[in-house]
Every structure is written in structure tokens, then in C-alpha cells.
Amino acid sequence: MLHLRLITPVGKTEDVVRLIEGTIGTTHLCVLPGAARDPAGDVVLCDVAREAGDDLLSGLQRLGLETSGSIAVENIDLSLSTRAEEAEKAAPGESADAVLWEHLTEATHEESTLSVTYLAFLTLATMIAACGVVLDNAVLIVGAMAVGPEFGPLAGISTAAVQRRPRLALRSVIALLVGFAVAMAVTVGFSLFMDAVGLFTKERLEGERPQTGFVYAPDWFSFVVAVLAGAAGTLSLTSAKSGALVGVAISVTTVPAAANAAVALSYGDTVQTWGSTEQLLLNLLGITLAGTLTLLAQKYFWSGQHRRLRKRAGS
């Protein structure tokens, strides 16, 4: 269930209440006349089943409430209410399958912002992965994958493509390109320093690496895994099952490939540099493509369900 706290201008309160009452899956409606001070107006509270939330939010936006008032949405972790149970049963579909498009857009917007924190995480992840590829240590590679924040901008590109948000797309592309450029440049310097103190050697990089050699040897499996991980990561975001994102992060070789390219570049190894770059681009392409197709499928699925619901309600 979702809890909505709305601030409505006095003249729009009745329209808002009618919309809530007419939305299947809502309950616990409260109206507090004149309770809001900034902006001035009435406060309307209600609970809505997650699977009905997107329709209600769209209706509230059509009323212009996000500009003339306020819309706040919270997840309800526990609701002991028979009415809430009935509302969830009445709403179409299952809550785990529901997509809150505005929430997804807001979440990907935040995750795809080119910030100091984002750059720090991506750079540190790439440097950890650099140690992993030189030492041929799979544990370090997995750790670097988990630290890397690059899935945020990738999800932002997919969301922007489906929702037609060019600003979100531009923000995500900039975060992705600048982030990897900075991370790889810093890692090149880090590799030169580690070589100077005798901790990195060209012989280690070009020697037998059974645990990490895959990062500069892209093949069809690289693309297939990236597609599967992209679909899983997108489902994780839209269903609020964030635990799956950890599995997604350690399934693709974006950060390790960037790290290997940076280390190889510092030694002038063009073969590994190019192979790692191909691996990186292949993974980025697969994740973005899968994320976009997954969102399109979810949008089509939910649109069909809502059309059937409206026909049933009309009859």
C-alpha cells in the first residue's frame, strides 16, 4: 500500500476527493479543511494499493496539483486494516508487478546525477577492479562490481527513452560518459603509481589470468548476460525489490572492463585496451537495450490491464 498526503487549493478539493473515491483500490480517505499553511489549502490523506497508484497520481497531475499544491507519496510497511486488504484485492494486478512511473523517473533522475559522490564511487570501484585484474583476484572483481554505481545512469537512459524525457536522457548520458572517463583517467594514474612502487607489473597483467581474463575477451555470452542483467535490474527498480540490484551489479563486467582498459593503457597494451573497451561497450549496450525493452513491456502490460478494468467498470 501507498500513503498519499495531498495539499489542495480549496477550489480543487472536491475534484481531488471525487478522483480518489472513483479510483479502485483507495481507502482511508481523510479531508482536513484549511489545515495547510504553505501552500494554503486543505490537506487530503488517503491510502491506495500500489497497483492503482500510477493511475491516481496521473489523475492528480492532470488536475495540476503538483503546481498548485503538493503530492507526497510514502510506502506503507505495515497496514492492519480490513479495508486496506479489500482495496488491494479490488485493485487490478499484483502490487509486485506495479510500476510507479513518476517514482521511477524521480529515482533514476537522482541516481543519474553527475555528483562528487557518484564520481568517487565509480573511481574507487575502478581502482579496486584494477587491483583485481592485476592480481587475478575474483573476489576483488566482485567487490568492485558491487561498489560501482553505473546502473543508475543506464536505468535513466532506458526510463528517458520510454517516458520521452530528453533532459533525463542527457543527464544520464553525461553521468555515464564523464563518470567512466574520469574513473579510467584516475585509474591510469593509479596504475602508474602502483608500477612505480613495484606493486603492479606488466608481466602480471599480460600473464595467465584464469580468473579475470574474461574482462578483455568479449563474446556473445557477454552480451547475453548483460541483457539478462539489464532486465533483472529494471524489474528490481520498478518492483521496489532493490535486493536484486546487488546480483545485477556482480553479473556484468562494466567496471572491471574499464579498469583493465585503464591498466593496459598505462602499459601501452593496445590489445587488452581495445578488448576491454569492447567488453565495456557491449555490456552498456546490452543493459540499456534490455532495460528499455523491459519498461516497454511493462507499460504495454499495465495499459492493457487498465483498459480491461475500465471496460469492466463501464459495463
Side-chain angles (χ1 to χ4, degrees):
M1 294 289 290
L2 302 172
H3 177 68
L4 271 63
R5 185 185 72 252
L6 313 173
I7 296 179
T8 71
V10 175
K12 290 187 177 182
T13 301
E14 288 303 318
D15 292 334
V16 170
V17 170
R18 277 195 295 270
L19 174 63
I20 294 173
E21 291 178 335
T23 301
I24 297 176
T26 58
T27 187
H28 303 154
L29 175 61
C30 301
V31 180
L32 308 176
R37 293 291 182 268
D38 183 21
D42 303 329
V43 174
V44 179
L45 308 173
C46 73
D47 295 340
V48 59
R50 181 181 172 86
E51 52 269 41
D54 192 63
D55 272 354
L56 180 56
L57 291 175
S58 298
L60 293 171
Q61 288 179 302
R62 285 194 294 271
L63 292 174
L65 203 60
E66 78 276 16
T67 56
S68 60
S70 171
I71 304 172
V73 184
E74 300 173 333
N75 281 308
I76 300 177
D77 295 327
L78 176 63
S79 179
L80 302 178
S81 168
T82 301
R83 283 184 173 273
E85 292 178 1
E86 292 173 351
E88 286 190 315
K89 289 179 181 178
E94 297 294 333
S95 61
D97 298 330
V99 181
L100 296 176
W101 292 101
E102 285 301 323
H103 178 269
L104 177 64
T105 301
E106 183 66 25
T108 52
H109 182 278
E110 181 179 348
E111 292 294 327
S112 61
T113 300
L114 184 62
S115 62
V116 174
T117 301
Y118 169 82
L119 287 174
F121 270 115
L122 188 56
T123 301
L124 290 171
T126 308
M127 293 166 69
I128 293 171
C131 295
V133 296
V134 172
L135 297 175
D136 194 33
N137 189 316
V139 175
L140 292 177
I141 293 295
V142 171
M145 290 175 177
V147 172
E150 73 279 6
F151 188 80
L154 292 171
I157 294 172
S158 298
T159 302
V162 174
Q163 293 292 90
R164 298 178 182 178
R165 303 285 183 98
R167 288 187 178 182
L168 176 59
L170 180 61
R171 177 187 293 267
S172 302
V173 170
I174 290 175
L176 201 64
L177 295 181
V178 174
F180 271 110
V182 170
M184 292 173 71
V186 173
T187 303
V188 168
F190 173 70
S191 300
L192 293 173
F193 169 77
M194 295 292 279
D195 179 76
V197 297
L199 295 177
F200 280 11
T201 62
K202 188 174 183 180
E203 289 72 22
R204 278 187 167 184
L205 179 71
E206 296 181 347
E208 289 294 324
R209 288 162 48 195
Q211 300 293 323
T212 61
F214 66 92
V215 298
Y216 62 89
D219 54 22
W220 278 107
F221 277 106
S222 302
F223 183 73
V224 170
V225 171
V227 168
L228 296 175
T234 303
L235 286 173
S236 175
L237 285 177
T238 57
S239 63
K241 296 185 180 297
S242 58
L245 281 177
V246 177
V248 172
I250 61 177
S251 298
V252 293
T253 55
T254 48
V255 167
N260 198 85
V263 177
L265 183 63
S266 70
Y267 284 117
D269 188 335
T270 56
V271 174
Q272 285 201 37
T273 300
W274 178 244
S276 301
T277 303
E278 284 185 334
Q279 180 76 275
L280 174 61
L281 295 176
L282 200 61
N283 275 269
L284 295 178
L285 174 63
I287 293 171
T288 305
L289 178 63
T292 303
L293 293 177
T294 301
L295 290 176
L296 286 172
Q298 288 179 294
K299 191 170 187 178
Y300 175 79
F301 172 76
W302 274 102
S303 297
Q305 275 206 331
H306 291 164
R307 282 195 299 268
R308 290 192 293 271
L309 179 65
R310 283 191 286 269
K311 287 181 180 179
R312 189 174 64 189
S315 63

